[in-house]
């Protein structure tokens, strides 16, 4: 028999600890997002479909992106125990300068489309967190305005070498004059990947108002208010005649760029130079031998070649081939700080985040990007603690194995590695 009694009002009062309601809607929304996936959900709710899909989508069947994310989910960590790590140091030295965290913000084109604060929010959040920010050639904020948003921190510039070489050279000179310290030369875009969501949505630059976009706008008034009441949404460094992003890329990009272009850019650029979009061991070694300062293993977030190699899978082999002294960075598919920790353990010096940053931006402008960085920072610190390491330098390959569902079959039978 359960013994019952009358409720005691004093005890009841103890239990009733109602929190003061958060009146700032943006803060409430962002605080409730505990993961990057949560930020993506908020972003989707608040952003018109065509803009969200442009960001969230990838090329063709989106297999490159799905597989890259899957590869991170298939990481198995191996913690050490009883190793006191009362504090964790997440800082790194990368390309001749400091970063408070082992990741920076990747270059993304047309960023003010996602949310009107665009690159200024990204650069400001990077400045506050002490990490590098990368401005894209196809950015919607000028080199000088990014510098103003991150005047004392590290700015990197991403270069596309275009058919009209003078445009690219002039941007390189301007970025150098503004004190950007690193150039990321992207080489995986001889032509645009097939971004099918953009085609299906009839998405064009500049965005067109159709019956569909107007209906889609109704539940997202704030995006439209921003769009209509802030400076025109356009590329900061490029004039266009309009079209889909794919058409614009095809018109601007030169499919004949080669090592000769690299030599020209090397002469123009006084700072560090890294090649972004490297996808095999041979090219990694060749680039090291050509004297660049580093590479980014990347398949462009799955937006170019579909079914491309998974950068995270390439990492250990590339690290072995290029040796310890050459800078290897990685991106594509990072959705959790633990993905970053796993990358560092397998030999990455640094990582870049594309969509993780943009989901935060769409979810809440500058504060949303701050939230992205805070979530990743917490996940990195917690994962390091749970692994029993107190600095990034202590991470090693033994901390990570991968479940084999996505491991590639070797090209040649003699290469087969028995795991
Ligand atoms: C919306 C969007 C625009 C991008 N624009 C560029 C660009 O202009 N130049 C470039 O080198 N990479 C660009 N990227 C690729 C990113 O720099 C990065 O490689 C990729 O986003 C990493 O994958 P993740 O989004 O899974 O983090 C873009 C990516 C996205 C999502």
């Amino acid at each position: 028999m359960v013994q019952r009694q009358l409720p005691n009002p004093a005890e009841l009062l103890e239990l009733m600890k109602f929190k003061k309601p958060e009146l700032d809607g943006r803060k409430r929304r962002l605080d409730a997002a505990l993961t990057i996936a949560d930020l993506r959900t908020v972003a989707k709710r608040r952003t018109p479909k065509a803009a969200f899909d442009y960001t969230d989508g990838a090329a063709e069947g989106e297999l490159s992106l799905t597989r890259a994310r899957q590869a991170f989910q298939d990481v198995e960590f191996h913690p050490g125990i009883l190793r006191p790590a009362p504090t964790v140091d997440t800082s790194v030295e990368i390309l001749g300068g400091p970063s408070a965290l082992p990741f920076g913000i990747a270059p993304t084109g047309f960023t003010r489309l996602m949310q009107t604060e665009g690159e200024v929010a990204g650069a400001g959040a990077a400045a506050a967190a002490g990490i590098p920010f990368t401005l894209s050639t196809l950015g919607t904020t000028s080199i000088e305005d990014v510098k103003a948003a991150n005047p004392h921190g590290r700015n990197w510039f991403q270069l596309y070498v275009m058919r009209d070489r003078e445009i690219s050279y002039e941007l390189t000179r301007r970025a150098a004059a503004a004190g950007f310290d690193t150039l990321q030369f992207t080489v995986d875009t001889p032509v645009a990947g097939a971004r099918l969501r953009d085609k299906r949505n009839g998405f064009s630059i500049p965005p067109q108002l159709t019956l569909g976009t107007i209906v889609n706008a109704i539940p997202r008034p704030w995006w439209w208010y921003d769009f209509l009441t802030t400076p025109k949404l356009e590329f900061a460094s490029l004039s266009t005649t309009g079209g889909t992003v794919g058409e614009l890329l095809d018109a601007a990009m030169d499919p004949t760029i080669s090592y000769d272009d690299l030599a020209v850019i090397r002469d123009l650029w006084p700072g560090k130079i890294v090649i972004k979009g490297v996808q095999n061991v041979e090219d990694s070694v060749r680039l090291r031998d050509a004297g660049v300062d580093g590479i980014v293993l990347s398949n462009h977030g799955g937006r170019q070649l579909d079914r491309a190699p998974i950068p995270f899978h390439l990492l250990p082999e590339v690290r072995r081939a290029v040796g310890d002294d050459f800078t290897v960075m990685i991106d594509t598919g990072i959705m959790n700080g633990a993905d970053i920790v796993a990358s560092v353990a397998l030999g990455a010096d640094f990582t870049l985040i594309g969509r993780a940053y943009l989901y935060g931006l769409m979810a809440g402008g500058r504060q949303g990007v701050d939230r992205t960085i805070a979530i990743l920072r917490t996940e990195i610190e917690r994962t390091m603690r749970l692994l029993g390491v107190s600095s990034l330098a202590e991470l090693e390959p033994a901390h990570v194995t991968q479940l084999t569902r996505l491991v590639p079959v070797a090209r040649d039978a003699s290469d087969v590695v028995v795991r």
Side-chain angles (χ1 to χ4, degrees):
M1 260 312 263
V2 177
Q3 238 189 348
R4 297 198 186 271
Q5 62 183 34
L6 280 175
N8 175 344
E11 272 174 20
L12 207 60
L13 220 61
E14 269 284 280
L15 293 176
M16 292 197 312
K17 295 223 167 90
F18 296 124
K19 270 200 288 184
K20 226 172 83 197
E22 176 57 67
L23 298 178
D24 177 346
R26 182 181 284 207
K27 186 166 185 322
R28 196 171 55 235
R29 225 169 36 239
L30 293 173
D31 286 350
L34 302 182
T35 61
I36 302 300
D38 289 347
L39 284 175
R40 178 182 178 278
T41 305
V42 180
K44 188 170 184 181
R45 206 165 58 224
R46 296 188 60 83
T47 315
K49 180 170 167 47
F52 179 80
D53 277 351
Y54 166 68
T55 311
D56 189 59
E60 313 215 21
E62 307 195 351
L63 294 166
S64 290
L65 178 62
T66 311
R67 289 177 184 174
R69 287 181 176 170
Q70 184 69 57
F72 281 125
Q73 284 170 24
D74 284 351
V75 160
E76 197 174 33
F77 282 117
H78 301 276
I81 52 152
L82 299 178
R83 296 178 196 180
T87 56
V88 281
D89 180 4
T90 58
S91 66
V92 280
E93 186 77 10
I94 180 74
L95 296 165
S99 175
L101 292 160
F103 68 88
I105 293 184
T108 59
F110 223 54
T111 313
R112 284 188 49 236
L113 168 77
M114 291 91 187
Q115 202 272 354
T116 193
E117 296 171 45
E119 289 91 351
V120 167
I131 64 173
F133 174 81
T134 315
L135 173 65
S136 162
T137 291
L138 302 180
T140 42
T141 304
S142 73
I143 289 169
E144 293 73 19
D145 287 348
V146 164
K147 174 71 182 174
N150 183 15
H152 309 298
R154 299 184 73 187
N155 291 303
W156 295 356
F157 186 71
Q158 177 266 323
L159 184 71
Y160 280 127
V161 169
M162 288 176 283
R163 286 176 203 269
D164 185 344
R165 294 287 194 276
E166 237 350 279
I167 298 179
S168 301
Y169 299 163
E170 186 49 30
L171 289 173
T172 308
R173 290 189 201 103
R174 263 172 67 192
F180 285 44
D181 68 71
T182 295
L183 192 75
Q184 288 181 25
F185 179 5
T186 300
V187 293
D188 56 13
T189 317
V191 294
R195 321 265 172 88
L196 300 183
R197 292 202 217 179
D198 292 352
K199 283 235 179 244
R200 292 190 176 115
N201 289 331
F203 172 59
S204 62
I205 289 179
Q208 306 277 302
L209 284 177
T210 62
L211 192 62
T213 49
I214 290 168
V215 170
N216 190 258
I218 294 166
R220 300 170 174 87
W222 297 114
W223 188 96
W224 289 94
Y225 176 69
D226 282 342
F227 177 64
L228 297 170
T229 60
T230 55
K232 191 170 167 217
L233 179 57
E234 58 188 356
F235 293 118
S237 311
L238 225 60
S239 52
T240 66
T241 47
T244 64
V245 179
E247 284 160 2
L248 289 174
L249 281 177
D250 285 342
M253 299 305 148
D254 188 340
T256 70
I257 59 164
S258 68
Y259 274 82
D260 295 341
D261 292 288
L262 176 56
V264 176
I265 299 299
R266 179 73 283 188
D267 283 346
L268 280 178
W269 182 254
K272 304 283 186 190
I273 184 162
V274 300
I275 306 300
K276 175 170 180 282
V278 180
Q279 302 194 58
N280 68 43
V281 176
E282 298 79 2
D283 287 341
S284 308
V285 172
R286 183 164 176 202
L287 286 163
R288 179 202 61 187
D289 294 344
V292 300
D293 297 291
I295 53 174
V296 186
L297 298 176
S298 165
N299 64 37
H300 210 112
R303 297 164 78 81
Q304 287 298 109
L305 177 67
D306 203 15
R307 306 182 219 212
I310 298 169
F312 183 63
H313 283 173
L314 276 177
L315 183 58
E317 214 182 332
V318 166
R319 173 50 78 202
R320 270 195 298 279
V322 299
D324 286 343
D325 297 334
F326 185 58
T327 298
V328 178
M329 313 204 277
I330 182 176
D331 76 16
T332 302
I334 292 173
M335 289 286 283
N336 189 300
D339 303 344
I340 296 171
V341 172
S343 301
V344 174
L346 290 191
D349 294 295
F350 204 63
T351 62
L352 298 173
I353 54 158
R355 293 181 186 79
Y357 141 62
L358 298 173
Y359 294 142
L361 179 66
M362 291 187 282
R366 163 64 196 274
Q367 288 160 267
V369 186
D370 289 339
R371 185 79 186 127
T372 287
I373 296 172
I375 288 172
L376 293 176
R377 181 195 292 116
T378 306
E379 290 168 342
I380 290 170
E381 288 176 353
R382 188 173 51 237
T383 306
M384 288 173 69
R385 282 210 150 103
L386 288 170
L387 283 175
V389 301
S390 50
S391 75
L392 294 166
E394 288 171 42
L395 289 167
E396 49 181 48
H399 283 117
V400 172
T401 51
Q402 295 172 61
L403 305 176
T404 52
R405 115 174 83 157
L406 280 176
V407 170
V409 173
R411 262 180 257 167
D412 168 65
S414 63
D415 288 345
V416 171
V417 181
V418 180
R419 285 165 198 275

